[in-house]
Structures are given as C-alpha cells and as structure tokens.
C-alpha cells in the first residue's frame, strides 16, 4: 500500500530513527506478530499472553462479513428505524466513530450511542425513541459492566411494556463467549448474540463484532473497511523493516516524543474525521497512562494561535482529501514554530480501517518505548470499587473529601477556588475537565470553550470528558499516568431519580456514586481536584456570546475561566 503519512519531527527525528534501527536489530516487528511478551515484560503476565488477537482481525473478520450483512438486512426488513448502542469505552467508541463518519445508508436505521448514566440523558433518550422501532445493542466485553446493565434493565422494561413477550426481538447482545450477558440474552430471547474474540481487549476491538455489528446495521461497506485494514496489516507485516512499517514508525515517534516531554498529543482534523480522535484517545490514554508515564491525547480543543501552545505538544492532523485546507495551514505554522507534526491523509472515509490498525500497532509499540504494558489497566478497578462503596453508603457523598467542593452560585468562593486550583499548575502539567452532566449540543460547545479558556490563560493543555463515559476512556491515564495534572470535576443535581428496574438504586444514585468514586480514586493517587456543583440542566440557561444558551452553572464557570465576572 502507499502510505500517505508525513511525520515532521524536527530535532527528535534522530531519536526516532535510532529507535527504528534498534527495533530492526531486535526483530521487533517479527516478535510482535509472534506475540512475544518480552517486548514489554520479562514475565508472561495474562494481559500480554492473551491480548494480541487484534493483529489478525482484518483477515479473520472477513469471514464474518456475509453473516453480518444478512443480519443487517433482516433488521432493515423488519422496519427498525433506530439502533442504540448501550455500552461504554471500547464497546461504544468505534460504533460512534463509524456512525458519525459514514452516516446511515438509505433505509438503514439511524445509530446512536448511549454511554451516560445521568438520569436526564437516559430519560431524554427514551423520549426520542419508539420502542417498537428501536433495536438495542447491549455491548459489554465482560458482560458485567454496571452502566450497560443498568441501561439494559431500563430499556427492557420500556420495551416489555410496549411489546410484551416479543421484547427480546428488540435486543442484541455483543459480548465475549460465556459471559453472564450471553446467558441473560439467551434466557430472555434476544434477537441475536454476537461473540467477540476473548484475546482482544476492549480498546483494540473496533474491528471485532463490537464495531462491525453497528457498522453493518447502518449499511457501511464492511468488506471495504476490512480490506483497508488488511492493506495496513500487510505494510506492518513481520518481515517489514521497522523503518518501513507505518505502525512501528508512528509508535517510535509517539514513544520517543513522550520520553522527551512532548507528551501532549493534540489532534486537528478535517470535518469528516472529527470523531476519530475520540477512539484514538481511549486507545492511547488507557494503554500508555500508567506507572507515572503516559501520552496525553488532547481531543476537541479549539485551534489557537501558535503562541498559545507550550513546549510539550505533538500535533497530529487527520485530513480527508478535499477537506481541511485551514487545518493544513495551521499545521504548517506549528511546524514552522518548531513543534513536531504528523499528518495522516485519508483518500476516503474507509481509510479508517487502515488507520485503526496503524494506531493499534503504534500504541503497542509506544508502550515498549515507555517500558509499560499497553494491554492492562491497573488503576481502573480502584474507581469502580470506590463507586461501589459510595453506592452502598447512599449518603451525600461529600463528607471526607480532601479536595474542595464549591457551589457555582457562590461566585466569590468559586472564583477564588478556580484561581487557587489553576495558579498551582506548573509548565508541562495538563488540566482535565470531568463533567458529570448530560451530554447535549450546548454542552458539546461549552467543554471545548473550557479547554480554550484554560489554554489561553495558562498555556497548558486541557482534556475534557463526560462522566462516566471518560472513566472507560481516559480514566486510567488520569489516575496512573504523569503526576503533573489537576482536575475540575463538575457535578449537577439531576431533576429526578429515575429508578433502575430490577435493582434497588436509581440512575441519580449511580452517577453520583461514580463521581464520588472517581474523586476519591484521584485523591488516592495524589491528584488535585476541585469539585464544582452546578444546578441541574433543567434550570434556567444563560446566553453566552458565541455559545448560545447553556446551563447557568456552566456559563458561570466559563465566564470565570475567560477572565472573571464583572
């Protein structure tokens, strides 16, 4: 294949070339395909021994295309107008990218992803869907994901009330073989169960049934997608020199730049490619962010002037042919200013198949440079355990925090707390915004505005994510990665409880427990966190110039970040 990547790494090029020569001497590419755990660890830990099945997916999944297409045709013929993925992290991000990049072909259902436990978000989703014309994809590798199971129970009740004993025909399970989800699906008469390979971790599962079933439902060309993946796999084949392997070349760059302090990988994209960095974010953050090391993906940050960026950035452009002239010009300016820049040119959206494989190889290889295992997630379980503890306590959750908690209505206290939180940041740190609020069009505008305001005020990179979605994406990085980080956690008061059927808890209790568990996990890892409590999204909104009407609490925070309230 003809690789159209262009890595302009400036003074770091020599380190990358030296790494590639060393890999050739060590037979890195061959050993990767042989699944040699010593590339990352002298011991054959389980995550290294059984998490490299993604290497052969472009080839092996080709045999599944015909059956997936038949299933999609059946769903289309049965008149389903909507398909909803109930999943988190690796189960949801690739479907969302495929949906936003390809759209739905004529006659195929519209695909949405629900990966929030905020009761307002769940209620709003339910209000937009006709249970008789909606197919629910219950997606969980382990089959025990709390968020996914809670969402399933909620929608099962709704569909059962509408369709009675035919409810199962509106549900599909995507999971590993033998999980409790598979058993539940068979007990309740789901329309179908799709198994994914056990030897593929969630964040590497885009080209398994987790990604391909939703892609088939919207009418995407699976053969074309996998063919592009096979092209990239061939270019990264065991016999390829490291310098000629697109995946290893990118992996060497990622690792060497991070080791040199250029660890804030910042994405700029042409319009069609805008959602792809969300998938790369999880892959890189969860794979590399551990043991005090890591690469920090910066996704969704508005473009700034060259002077806004610190000396810890590495810029990545994802450019579809015929789009992104302004992005190209901005990348040229950053390169001229001495920043390392990589450009990836895609001929059409189906080049996602090749880019997915490239970034998987690169992330695994970067882990070897950094000296970490790219397939485990040692700090994720802590937040889950603390959330479970908070669920059992069922209290307000604010007693016992080491971190400050401030109400957005107390303007003096809020401004002082934000100033104190921000003034303690050091060059090379990064900032994180954790918003436990419903995802909406206005919130999607506000979080990037937060990132922009923080960069302009501090020259620091800022990440942003919705809770609990980001817990399955960047949560590992925030707790286990570089220690130079601090976080704003934004929580609101949902307008209703919204009970979770078949349980003794509500979505309101669940999302608050997840926020509390996350905060306590960050504190245990020595991170500095400022929790800000805002009114619910149902309260009065305020008009903010350039942003439209946004919830009052978010507008207050934004005004302070942009320079203070008069």
């Amino acid at each position: 294949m003809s690789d159209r990547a262009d890595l302009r790494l400036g003074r770091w090029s020599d380190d990358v070339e030296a790494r590639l020569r060393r890999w050739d001497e060590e037979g890195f590419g061959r050993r990767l395909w042989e699944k040699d755990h010593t590339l990352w660890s002298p011991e054959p830990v389980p995550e290294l021994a059984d998490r490299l099945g993604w290497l052969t997916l472009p080839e092996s999944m080709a045999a599944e295309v015909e059956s997936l297409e038949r299933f999609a045709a059946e769903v289309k013929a049965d008149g389903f107008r909507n398909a909803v993925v109930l999943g988190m992290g690796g189960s949801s991000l690739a479907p969302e990218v495929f949906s936003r990049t390809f759209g739905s072909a004529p006659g195929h259902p519209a695909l949405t992803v629900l990966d929030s436990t905020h009761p307002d978000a769940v209620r709003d989703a339910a209000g937009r869907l006709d249970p008789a014309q909606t197919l629910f994809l219950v997606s969980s590798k382990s089959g025990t994901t709390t968020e996914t199971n809670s969402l399933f129970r909620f929608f099962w009740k709704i569909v059962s009330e509408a369709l009675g004993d035919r409810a199962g025909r509106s549900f599909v399970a995507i999971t590993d073989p033998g999980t409790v989800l598979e058993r539940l699906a068979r007990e309740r008469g789901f329309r179908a169960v799709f198994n994914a390979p056990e030897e593929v971790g969630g964040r590497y599962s885009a080209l398994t049934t987790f990604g391909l079933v939703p892609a088939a439902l919207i009418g995407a060309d699976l053969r074309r997608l996998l063919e592009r993946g096979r092209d990239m796999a061939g270019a990264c084949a065991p016999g390829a020199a490291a310098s000629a392997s697109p995946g290893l070349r990118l992996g060497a760059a990622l690792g060497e730049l991070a080791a040199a302090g250029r660890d804030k990988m910042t994405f700029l994209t042409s319009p069609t490619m805008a959602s792809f960095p969300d998938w790369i974010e999880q892959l890189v953050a969860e794979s590399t962010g551990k043991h005090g090391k890591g690469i920090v993906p910066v996704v969704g940050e508005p473009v700034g002037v060259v002077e806004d960026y610190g000396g810890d950035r590495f810029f990545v452009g994802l450019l579809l042919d015929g789009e992104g002239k302004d992005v190209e010009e901005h990348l040229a300016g950053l390169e001229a200013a001495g920043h390392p820049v990589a450009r990836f040119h895609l001929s059409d959206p189906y080049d996602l198949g090749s880019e997915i494989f490239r970034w998987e190889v690169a992330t695994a290889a970067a882990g070897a440079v950094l000296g970490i295992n790219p397939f485990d997630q040692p700090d994720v379980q802590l937040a889950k355990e603390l959330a479970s503890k908070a669920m059992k306590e069922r209290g307000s959750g604010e007693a016992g925090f080491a971190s400050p908690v401030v109400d957005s209505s107390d303007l003096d206290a809020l401004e002082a707390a934000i100033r104190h939180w921000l003034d303690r940041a050091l060059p090379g740190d990064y900032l994180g915004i954790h918003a436990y609020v419903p995802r909406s069009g206005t919130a999607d505008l506000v979080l990037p505005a937060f990132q922009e305001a923080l960069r302009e005020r501090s020259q620091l990179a800022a990440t942003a994510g919705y809770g609990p979605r980001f817990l399955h994406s960047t949560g590992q990085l925030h707790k286990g990665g570089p220690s130079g980080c601090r976080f704003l956690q934004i929580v609101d008061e949902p307008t209703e409880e919204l009970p979770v059927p078949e349980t003794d808890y509500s979505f309101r209790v669940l999302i608050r427990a997840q926020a509390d568990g996350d905060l306590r996990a960050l504190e245990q890892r020595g991170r500095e966190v400022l929790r800000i409590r805002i009114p619910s999204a149902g309260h009065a909104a305020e008009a903010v110039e350039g942003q439209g009407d946004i919830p009052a609490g978010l507008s207050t925070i934004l005004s302070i970040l942009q320079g203070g309230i008069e």
Side-chain angles (χ1 to χ4, degrees), residues 29-90:
R30 170 184 54 78
R31 292 164 60 198
L32 173 67
W33 284 86
E34 291 173 352
K35 304 179 182 179
D36 182 353
H37 65 82
T38 62
L39 294 175
W40 303 281
S41 168
E43 302 299 326
V45 295
E47 292 88 355
L48 293 177
D50 62 8
R51 285 294 183 268
L52 285 158
W54 50 270
L55 284 164
T56 56
L57 287 175
E59 187 67 39
S60 64
M61 290 306 296
E64 306 296 325
V65 169
E66 187 174 347
S67 64
L68 293 177
E69 289 177 338
R70 282 199 305 270
F71 174 73
E74 172 192 298
V75 169
K76 179 183 176 184
D78 282 354
F80 285 97
R81 299 182 61 185
N82 294 285
V84 181
V85 174
L86 308 179
M88 306 296 295

Side-chain angles (χ1 to χ4, degrees), residues 53-54 108 316 339 414 460 464 519 557:
W54 50 270
H108 288 262
V316 175
H339 292 287
L414 179 61
L460 298 180
L519 180 49
I557 298 168

